[in-house]
Amino acid sequence: MPNYRRPHVSGGTYFITQVTYQRVPWLCSDIGKKALREAIAKVREKYPFSIEAFVLLPDHFHCLWSLPPDDPDFSVRLRLIKTYVTKHYAQEIGINRAVSRSRQKRRESNLWQRRCWEHLIGNERDFAHHCDYIHDNPVRHRLCKHPQDWQYSSIHRFIAQGIYPRDWGKDGRKEKPQGIWDE
């Protein structure tokens, strides 16, 4: 069995990707959005973190989370979010997929893929690159033509705050205003 090692840096910023079990596209349903929003709010009450960037797609989400200065554990937050959604909304979400024996032994449901992908952000350039990746992801998956067309994305906040120009991502334009991401 591989020995998975996750970086744990107090106050770190992490890029996280979480995928649904067998890529079943339930996250953008009304109940999926409600469940995830509620779970994040509940977990943030006890385990605070800031969401720097976020995109919700039908079968996965990408996000950038910054942790408090004295806390290195993003994984407990993600685990609690997944557990909350499963415990409170699995019946309503109603995924009809068999659960393997391995998943049954671990008491896992058929909502989430077991592991997530994470990356500890190293610097401003790395942060900017991951923000761009998050916001362009719906276009990469052919869910929309331009990043601004995707409703479930923090790109709208980035544009409103002047971090991205209004036409970011249109016609291949992905420039940011000067000084925003400089090291």
Side-chain angles (χ1 to χ4, degrees), residues 80-128:
L80 291 171
I81 289 167
K82 290 165 48 175
T83 299
Y84 186 95
V85 170
T86 301
K87 183 176 177 182
H88 293 91
Y89 287 96
Q91 293 287 70
E92 283 182 74
I93 292 169
I95 303 302
N96 190 15
R97 294 281 170 107
V99 177
S100 68
R101 269 185 235 213
S102 170
R103 290 181 78 84
Q104 288 173 11
K105 262 199 240 181
R106 290 182 169 96
R107 298 187 308 171
E108 295 174 340
S109 76
N110 61 0
L111 292 184
W112 300 105
Q113 196 176 76
R114 182 174 295 153
R115 299 205 194 297
C116 70
W117 167 259
E118 103 287 327
H119 166 76
L120 177 63
I121 299 299
N123 57 37
E124 290 294 321
R125 181 166 287 145
D126 193 22
F127 182 88

Side-chain angles (χ1 to χ4, degrees), residues 145-158:
K145 188 173 180 183
H146 307 297
Q148 299 84 341
D149 300 337
W150 191 248
Q151 184 178 354
Y152 315 117
S153 172
S154 58
I155 191 169
H156 307 288
R157 177 172 44 95
F158 275 52

Side-chain angles (χ1 to χ4, degrees), residues 128-147:
H129 170 76
H130 283 85
C131 284
D132 293 352
Y133 180 85
I134 285 169
H135 296 128
D136 195 47
N137 207 253
V139 175
R140 291 173 190 248
H141 285 280
R142 296 188 170 105
L143 296 169
C144 58
K145 188 173 180 183
H146 307 297

Side-chain angles (χ1 to χ4, degrees), residues 28 30 33 37 54-57 138 150-154 156:
C28 289
D30 288 342
K33 292 181 299 190
R37 187 179 303 114
F54 194 94
V55 69
L56 182 67
L57 292 97
W150 191 248
Q151 184 178 354
Y152 315 117
S153 172
S154 58
H156 307 288

Side-chain angles (χ1 to χ4, degrees), residues 10 12 28 33 67 166:
S10 292
C28 289
K33 292 181 299 190
L67 302 182
R166 292 206 174 284

